[in-house]
Amino acid sequence: MYEYDDYYEDYGPSDELSQQIHQMIENEARAKITSTFTELEQVRKTNEELRKQIHEMRNQIRTFDDRVKKERKQAEEAIKRGFFDGYICGDKVFVAYSKYRREACATCSGAAKVTALIGNAEMQIKCPECDGTGGKHKYDYEPLEDHIETVTVELNDRGGKFVNAYLKKKESKVEYERIFPTLEECQAYCDEKNSESKER
Ligand SMILES: [Zn+2]
């Protein structure tokens, strides 16, 4: 029994110490884990922030690239328009389209002859109004929507420059003076042309 008691007396304080050590280790470990966790959380936040920044920068680069492309295209277009005197292929335009029409003479109704009383006799004479042609050649102008398909530039050694356009709906080339960017401008030109031909 003596040995037994002795053993317990020895065991008491050493058990307490062991518990204290255990507690210290545990506290230390907890502190370490908490600190590591906090660090990890911080790294995660930084990472997320950087990811956002990268995303934002990529967007900025893309926007910048798009702007450069757009501005380059505009600059190229401006140079082309300058060289081709305003129009480039693919432009929607309005062309003053002229349609030939033969208008019968109002005096002879297209017969080319009129009845005249010469002395007491009725005679058929050449219509003085149309000079025996029976009518007049007329061109009626009207706007036609079209697209520029080809633009050609001819340069000569005397510094001359001739620009012509070929449109989708017309086979032959069209002079620039008959091409307009808007319907209103084309209509005004047609009206002017049509009133000129009425006066003649
Ligand atoms: Zn006539």
Side-chain angles (χ1 to χ4, degrees), residues 14 25 51 64 67 90 111 117 135 150-151 173 194:
S14 100
I25 290 168
R51 230 186 266 272
F64 185 74
R67 218 180 75 197
L117 202 62
T150 312
V151 182
K173 68 183 177 190
N194 290 334

Side-chain angles (χ1 to χ4, degrees), residues 104-114 126-136:
C105 170
T107 307
C108 65
S109 305
K113 289 174 190 163
V114 285
K126 192 166 82 175
C127 171
E129 179 62 32
C130 61
D131 199 27
T133 57
K136 284 187 270 187

Side-chain angles (χ1 to χ4, degrees), residues 41-200:
E41 188 62 19
Q42 194 55 48
V43 167
R44 199 186 60 79
K45 275 184 186 163
T46 309
N47 207 3
E48 200 177 321
E49 191 56 43
L50 287 173
R51 230 186 266 272
K52 274 185 196 164
Q53 282 179 22
I54 288 169
H55 184 74
E56 183 58 35
M57 278 176 177
R58 281 204 180 124
N59 278 345
Q60 281 177 14
I61 289 169
R62 205 171 298 136
T63 309
F64 185 74
D65 278 353
D66 287 349
R67 218 180 75 197
V68 168
K69 269 186 212 158
K70 201 177 153 192
E71 279 172 14
R72 177 196 286 259
K73 205 180 157 195
Q74 283 173 349
E76 281 175 0
E77 201 182 298
I79 291 167
K80 277 190 201 167
R81 285 192 191 283
F83 186 69
F84 294 122
D85 292 353
Y87 295 107
I88 56 168
C89 300
D91 277 354
K92 181 176 118 175
V93 292
F94 293 89
V95 55
Y97 179 65
S98 61
K99 260 197 307 199
Y100 172 74
R101 174 164 68 86
R102 189 172 159 81
E103 194 178 71
C105 170
T107 307
C108 65
S109 305
K113 289 174 190 163
V114 285
T115 307
L117 202 62
I118 298 169
N120 284 325
E122 273 190 358
M123 288 185 77
Q124 294 276 306
I125 60 157
K126 192 166 82 175
C127 171
E129 179 62 32
C130 61
D131 199 27
T133 57
K136 284 187 270 187
H137 301 294
K138 293 253 311 186
Y139 283 96
D140 292 328
Y141 288 83
E142 61 179 26
L144 180 76
E145 189 187 311
D146 212 328
H147 284 87
I148 294 195
E149 200 167 53
T150 312
V151 182
T152 60
V153 179
E154 289 166 45
L155 304 171
N156 66 26
D157 59 1
R158 295 176 299 281
K161 178 180 170 187
F162 306 94
V163 188
N164 288 298
Y166 289 85
L167 306 178
K168 283 210 168 106
K169 293 176 188 168
K170 282 182 77 69
E171 278 178 19
S172 55
K173 68 183 177 190
V174 180
E175 309 83 54
Y176 263 33
E177 64 163 35
R178 289 170 54 202
I179 301 171
F180 300 88
T182 66
L183 176 62
E184 291 71 27
E185 286 167 86
C186 189
Q187 187 65 62
Y189 176 87
C190 290
D191 291 347
E192 197 186 321
K193 280 282 179 189
N194 290 334
S195 73
E196 270 175 23
S197 81
K198 258 180 211 151
E199 282 162 18
R200 271 204 301 267

